[in-house]
């Protein structure tokens, strides 16, 4: 066999393996993964999970953006979106420990004196004790047992779309550590009700003192605890809750229909300057979310065909005119960009007001495609933020997953149209982003 024939044979074998494995979400090929059992029953073990998400991007920059001091309308780059490692296990039948470390959002830029290599840090580190079997477990640490919505608890391993909408993590890097806070939590299942509640101590914020009497920012002097909870009723198959990470798409391996709701509350979580020059004026943070999630095969597991849909309503009260722009792996110069959107690829994502987020995806049957597994999807976020005079702030995006080995190895081609605001209440069209993601996890 010559080299070319060998290459074709290997490619065919890989393609066949990937096509077979995708129907089970990669389970047949992956098995139990990297796991060490400490007893014959497998009830005491350690498991390891690692993943990489690489993005190659072309983006229209916000008006007025500079990159390395040069005016920029369009930029292209390669970004390391996530590099993570989780180790967790049952030390005894009743005690679980979890450590989750990694880095996020590495680009070629040095932002505000940060080194080229982002700091490796623990995303999660907690211990948990099983009190009443599946009914009640309690734990403590820096954790991800959240309130607000399903996606606030979402796994980054199995998104339906290329990433989370980010509005699902409204406190991210504000008064938390990459969507985590230090505290205690309780979780469990009662009949078909899955619940999680937490009492946390938010991190000190990174904001300067509030400069405006009209707009709230995170309060540096809050010195208060937060409470959070999320509750969902599972009408069809129950989902696992050993770990907090909810699944984005089951790829036809499960029939799930849930309705959920959650909240977050922190007294004096934000503040604004006093109009009379006195002490700052604090505001409580109250966040609420409600969602409906449906995921079901529409054909046989062997041939694929599955529908995934998630609808979420958010009501956020951070205080007057609170607004945050988010630009993932933003490479624009600090201080550049438009007055509302800010630099680079930022746009209004989180703020006081109401928002609707809809995601829909369809896993195409593999047989008509010759064994290729494709999952096109669409997402929109429609927000009405007080700081934008309650004008509609729409975000439109969509793409397709090419599932080589389920979620374990996939390519995602994604398009985003983000709104551009020249001033509050003055939207001036959209800016485009194209992203190609390569993801692998084991």
């Amino acid at each position: 066999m010559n080299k070319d024939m060998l290459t074709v044979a290997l490619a065919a074998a890989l393609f066949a393996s990937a096509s077979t494995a995708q129907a089970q979400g990669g389970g047949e090929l992956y098995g139990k993964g990297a796991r060490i059992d400490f007893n014959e029953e497998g009830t005491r073990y350690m498991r390891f999970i690692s993943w990489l998400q690489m993005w190659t991007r072309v983006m229209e920059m916000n008006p007025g953006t500079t990159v390395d001091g040069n005016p920029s309308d369009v930029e292209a780059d390669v970004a390391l979106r996530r590099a993570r490692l989780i180790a967790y296990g049952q030390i005894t039948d009743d005690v679980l420990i979890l450590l989750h470390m990694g880095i996020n959002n590495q680009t070629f830029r040095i932002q505000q004196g940060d080194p080229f290599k982002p700091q490796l840090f623990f995303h999660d580190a907690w211990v948990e004790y099983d009190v009443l079997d599946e009914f009640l477990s309690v734990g403590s640490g820096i954790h991800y047992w959240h309130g607000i919505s399903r996606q606030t608890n979402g796994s980054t391993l199995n998104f339906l779309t290329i990433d989370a909408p980010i509005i699902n993590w409204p406190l991210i890097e504000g008064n938390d550590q990459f969507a985590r806070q230090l505290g205690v939590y309780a979780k469990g299942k009662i009949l078909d009700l899955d619940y999680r509640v937490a009492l946390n101590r938010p991190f000190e914020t990174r904001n300067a003192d509030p400069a405006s009497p009209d707009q709230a920012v995170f309060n540096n002097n809050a010195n208060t605890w937060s409470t959070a909870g999320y509750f969902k009723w599972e009408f069809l198959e129950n989902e696992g809750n050993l770990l907090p990470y909810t699944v984005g798409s089951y790829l036809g391996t499960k029939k799930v229909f849930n309705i959920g709701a959650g909240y977050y509350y922190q007294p004096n979580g934000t503040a604004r300057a006093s109009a009379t020059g006195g002490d700052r004026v604090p505001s409580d943070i109250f966040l609420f979310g409600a969602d409906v999630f449906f995921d079901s095969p529409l054909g046989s597991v062997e041939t694929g065909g599955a529908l995934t849909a998630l609808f979420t309503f958010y009501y956020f009260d951070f205080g007057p005119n609170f607004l945050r722009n988010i630009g993932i792996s933003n490479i624009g110069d600090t201080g550049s960009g438009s007055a509302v959107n800010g630099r680079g690829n930022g746009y209004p994502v989180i703020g006081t007001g109401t928002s609707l987020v809809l995601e829909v995806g369809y896993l195409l049957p593999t047989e008509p495609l010759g064994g290729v597994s494709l999952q096109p999807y669409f997402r929109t976020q429609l927000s009405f933020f007080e700081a934008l005079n309650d004008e509609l702030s729409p975000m439109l995006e969509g793409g397709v997953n090419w599932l080589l080995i389920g979620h374990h190895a996939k390519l995602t081609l994604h398009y985003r149209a983000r709104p551009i605001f020249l001033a509050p209440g003055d939207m001036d069209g959209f800016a485009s982003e194209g992203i190609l993601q390569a993801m692998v996890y084991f």
Side-chain angles (χ1 to χ4, degrees):
M1 181 179 293
N2 61 35
K3 182 178 180 181
D4 291 340
M5 293 179 62
L6 179 61
T7 301
V8 171
L10 289 173
L14 177 61
F15 179 80
S17 298
S19 300
T20 302
Q22 71 81 25
Q24 299 295 331
E28 291 183 0
L29 186 65
Y30 183 68
K32 292 183 178 180
R35 174 176 166 135
I36 303 172
D37 288 328
F38 299 124
N39 62 3
E40 293 183 359
E41 296 78 16
T43 58
R44 300 180 184 180
Y45 62 90
M46 285 294 297
R47 185 182 178 192
F48 304 90
I49 304 174
S50 181
W51 66 103
L52 292 176
Q53 294 168 338
M54 297 298 306
W55 286 9
T56 302
R57 310 183 295 176
V58 178
M59 304 170 288
E60 288 185 298
M61 298 285 98
N62 292 337
T65 293
T66 62
V67 177
D68 287 334
N70 301 304
S72 178
D73 295 325
V74 178
E75 289 288 337
D77 76 340
V78 175
L80 176 55
R81 178 67 176 106
R82 294 181 181 91
R84 306 279 190 85
L85 173 66
I86 286 181
Y88 73 91
Q90 297 282 165
I91 305 305
T92 72
D93 293 347
D94 297 324
V95 178
L96 180 141
I97 182 174
L98 183 141
L99 295 173
H100 174 192
M101 66 188 74
I103 65 171
N104 310 278
N105 300 327
Q106 183 174 10
T107 73
F108 69 94
R109 294 301 313 274
I110 300 178
Q111 294 290 351
Q112 297 180 334
D114 291 340
F116 281 111
K117 296 178 182 179
Q119 179 184 8
L120 181 70
F121 67 96
F122 283 106
H123 293 66
D124 298 290
W126 75 75
V127 293
E128 178 181 295
Y129 181 72
D130 184 5
V131 179
L132 292 172
D133 296 324
E134 74 272 14
F135 299 108
L136 174 64
S137 297
V138 296
S140 177
I142 181 169
H143 66 86
Y144 195 68
W145 295 95
H146 281 309
I148 308 180
S149 75
R150 177 186 183 87
Q151 282 193 317
T152 312
N153 303 272
S155 169
T156 62
L157 294 177
N158 43 47
F159 287 134
L160 168 63
T161 67
I162 195 170
D163 209 318
I166 309 301
I167 190 176
N168 57 302
W169 298 313
L171 307 168
I172 190 163
E173 295 297 271
N175 64 4
D176 66 21
Q177 179 170 286
F178 223 77
R180 279 83 173 171
Q181 291 183 347
L182 284 160
V184 295
Y185 66 86
K187 56 96 170 181
K189 287 181 181 287
I190 303 174
L191 298 177
D192 292 321
L193 175 68
D194 185 298
Y195 73 90
R196 58 190 71 191
V197 292
L199 176 65
N200 298 326
R201 189 65 188 264
F203 286 88
E204 293 182 347
T205 69
R206 301 162 179 82
N207 280 342
D209 289 337
S212 170
D214 301 318
Q215 186 168 33
V217 297
F218 284 112
N219 187 2
N220 294 335
N221 303 114
N223 195 30
T224 56
W225 290 72
S226 67
T227 62
Y230 179 69
F231 311 86
K232 64 177 178 179
W233 190 268
E234 301 174 323
F235 290 93
L236 299 178
E237 293 186 55
N238 285 356
E239 299 183 275
N241 72 342
L242 175 67
L243 302 181
Y245 316 109
T246 59
V247 172
S249 176
Y250 282 102
L251 303 181
T253 63
K254 205 173 183 71
K255 293 182 178 180
V256 177
F257 175 54
N258 300 335
I259 296 178
Y263 77 97
Y264 174 93
Y265 174 72
Q266 182 194 0
N268 301 334
T270 62
R272 62 191 188 277
S274 171
T276 60
D279 293 336
R280 67 183 66 193
V281 181
S283 297
D284 297 345
I285 297 176
F286 176 72
L287 313 176
F288 173 79
D291 49 50
V292 179
F293 177 69
F294 178 79
D295 197 312
S296 177
L298 298 182
S300 68
V301 174
E302 289 74 20
T303 61
L307 177 66
T308 302
L310 175 64
F311 173 78
T312 309
F313 166 81
Y314 290 108
Y315 169 78
F316 292 166
D317 184 358
F318 286 95
N321 294 310
F322 183 98
L323 187 68
R324 294 184 69 188
N325 294 320
I326 303 293
I328 295 176
S329 299
N330 201 330
I331 61 174
D333 291 337
T334 299
S336 68
S338 65
V340 177
N341 281 62
R343 62 190 175 92
N345 60 336
Y347 66 101
V349 177
I350 299 162
T352 292
T354 59
S355 297
L356 306 175
V357 180
L358 174 65
E359 294 186 356
V360 179
Y362 179 60
L363 179 64
L364 299 173
T366 57
E367 187 173 350
L369 300 176
V372 176
S373 181
L374 298 178
Q375 185 185 38
Y377 62 80
F378 168 79
R379 177 167 68 204
T380 184
Q381 175 180 328
L382 305 176
S383 297
F384 300 87
F385 295 128
E386 183 180 283
L388 299 180
N389 297 334
D390 291 322
E391 179 178 328
L392 174 65
S393 175
M395 184 277 300
L396 306 172
E397 51 190 334
V400 59
N401 296 314
W402 180 14
L403 302 157
L404 302 174
I405 310 175
H407 288 299
H408 291 281
K410 66 182 179 182
L411 298 174
T412 301
L413 184 62
H414 184 84
Y415 172 78
R416 173 182 296 127
R418 65 181 192 273
I420 299 295
F421 285 86
L422 300 181
D426 183 13
M427 181 179 160
D428 186 34
F430 294 86
S432 295
E433 301 178 23
I435 307 170
L436 175 63
Q437 174 183 258
M439 174 182 170
V440 175
Y441 95 84
F442 69 91

